[in-house]
Structures are given as C-alpha cells and as structure tokens.
Amino acid sequence: EAQVTQNPRYLITVTGKKLTVTCSQNMNHEYMSWYRQDPGLGLRQIYYSMNVEVTDKGDVPEGYKVSRKEKRNFPLILESPSPNQTSLYFCASSLSGTGSSVEQYFGPGTRLTVT
Amino acid sequence: DAKTTQPPSMDCAEGRAANLPCNHSTISGNEYVYWYRQIHSQGPQYIIHGLKNNETNEMASLIITEDRKSSTLILPHATLRDTAVYYCIVRVANSGGSNYKLTFGKGTLLTVNP
C-alpha cells in the first residue's frame, strides 16, 4: 500500500531532550516536506526537500533540522525542544516538487508535547 | 498565491449533496484551485483540483465560475465519514521549490448529520 508513515505517533518529552521524528514513504517520491499544525494558525511548512541531499527552509524552520540521505526517509530533528514546539506534525511527499505533480500525500501525524 | 475565503462551518444531511463554496477573487490566470480535506487530526487528503473547466473524480466535483473568482466543491452523496475540515487552496500551476508548499487557511468544517 502506498503510504507515508511517521513515528512515533505520540510523544511527550521534556525541554532540551533531543528527539527525532521519522518519516518514510514507499512511493519513490522525490519531494518531501514537514508541516506543523497549531490551533488558529493552520498548517505551516517547516522544511522541505526536493530530492536526496537537497533540503531547504520553509516558513518556520527555527529550532528544527532535517536530513535527506535516502530518497524514502526524511527525519525531523529537534536538537533542544522547547514548549513552543508542542504541536501536531505532518510529513508529506509528492512525486516531484514542481507544479506538474499535483497531489501531496500526508502521513498520519505526530502529536508532540514538550513540557 | 491568491487568498481564499471559506465559510467557517456548514451542515449537511447524510445522503444529500454537500456544496462547499470558496471565494478567490484575486486569483491569477496561472493559478489552480485545489481542494484538500482533513478528518479530525489526520493528515490532509487531496480531493480534486482545476484551472478553468469543471472537474469530476470519484470523490467529488469542482465547479469553477467563468470569471474564476469563486468555486464550489460538491460531494454528491455525503456520508458521515465526510465530516471533516475542507480546505480550498490556490497555487501557481508550475510553482516549484519553496513555492510548491500548500498554504492552508482555516477551511470549512463540514458536519454531516444522520
């Protein structure tokens, strides 16, 4: 089944403890992206990747890192999480990062709480 | 990208057609209209997109006015599982890189009632 998977689905952690949220897609997609969703603010893009070893900042990259060493994986790294990073996170992928590729596929989400 | 305006909420009876409006009066000639939906706290799901002509797929129909300043998403026979937030998004057709992201507004919460 074609899908985007994220792990963990739920995570409660403490301020400053490094964490990684994994994202994997099995559709051989070139484009991958991370969004966060907060009440009243909608979905905002954190980072995106057009292809392997190519990543770039989205609208809200502060406090996050990403890597794209393999086509299928795009982990989101929080080196020193803070309470304002408590949010619902979504990974998405698309065949390519250009307008010719219309549909973006989203993962199930990771609900992160930083205390 | 052009801004969109959607009603915050709508109700629909199960089995009836749900018609969700979207206003995009500042849309440019090279911008498509996309619709996604998000069932409570799940990942958004693509529904349909269009440029000028009306479009239909297995999920829905998209009606775009001749002046392209507004559109309507139609779910022909709404079910309880169609209860979700529906997002209308306008984006340049051939945008890439940083412009490829989807900008989600607040959307319309559609509640399908039994």
Side-chain angles (χ1 to χ4, degrees), chain A residues 14-106:
Chain A
V14 296
T15 298
K17 186 176 181 181
K18 180 180 179 179
L19 67 91
T20 299
V21 183
T22 65
C23 173
S24 182
Q25 49 89 8
N26 62 0
M27 297 169 279
N28 201 37
H29 284 172
E30 290 185 350
Y31 178 91
M32 297 186 75
S33 175
W34 277 102
Y35 292 83
R36 61 177 288 174
Q37 185 172 30
D38 303 289
L41 296 176
L43 280 92
R44 295 176 291 168
Q45 190 184 55
I46 304 171
Y47 268 94
Y48 67 94
S49 169
M50 297 290 284
N51 213 326
V52 175
E53 301 292 0
V54 181
T55 64
D56 211 340
K57 297 178 181 179
D59 296 323
V60 288
E62 294 76 23
Y64 305 94
K65 288 174 60 177
V66 293
S67 68
R68 187 90 183 274
K69 295 176 180 163
E70 306 166 284
K71 200 170 189 178
R72 63 183 294 130
N73 296 323
F74 190 46
L76 180 69
I77 302 157
L78 285 73
E79 294 272 4
S80 183
S82 63
N84 64 12
Q85 292 178 298
T86 292
S87 186
L88 180 58
Y89 291 87
F90 290 103
C91 180
S93 75
S94 183
L95 189 61
S96 76
T98 67
S100 62
S101 181
V102 173
E103 183 174 355
Q104 291 194 29
Y105 296 81
F106 284 79

Side-chain angles (χ1 to χ4, degrees), chain B:
Chain B
D1 292 345
K3 290 185 177 179
T4 61
T5 304
Q6 299 177 252
S9 64
M10 294 182 66
D11 285 336
C12 177
E14 188 178 19
R16 304 298 293 270
N19 297 280
L20 294 100
C22 179
N23 183 287
H24 32 79
S25 58
T26 59
I27 193 170
S28 299
N30 63 346
E31 289 182 313
Y32 277 74
V33 179
Y34 298 82
W35 283 84
Y36 278 73
R37 74 179 182 183
Q38 185 176 23
I39 297 170
H40 181 63
S41 294
Q42 295 181 21
Q45 176 190 24
Y46 166 82
I47 301 173
I48 199 167
H49 76 285
L51 181 64
K52 292 182 182 179
N53 300 320
N54 299 337
E55 302 287 345
T56 296
N57 64 19
E58 64 278 2
M59 287 183 68
S61 295
L62 174 60
I63 308 297
I64 302 174
T65 58
E66 192 169 342
D67 63 8
R68 303 210 322 122
K69 293 185 177 181
S70 66
S71 60
T72 301
L73 177 74
I74 301 172
L75 307 179
H77 305 286
T79 70
L80 300 179
R81 287 177 292 181
D82 291 322
T83 293
V85 177
Y86 287 77
Y87 297 98
C88 171
I89 300 165
V90 172
R91 194 183 72 197
V92 175
N94 293 315
S95 58
S98 63
N99 293 320
Y100 188 68
K101 68 176 183 286
L102 294 170
T103 300
F104 290 81
K106 295 185 177 180
T108 296
L109 172 60
L110 174 68
T111 302
V112 181
N113 300 304

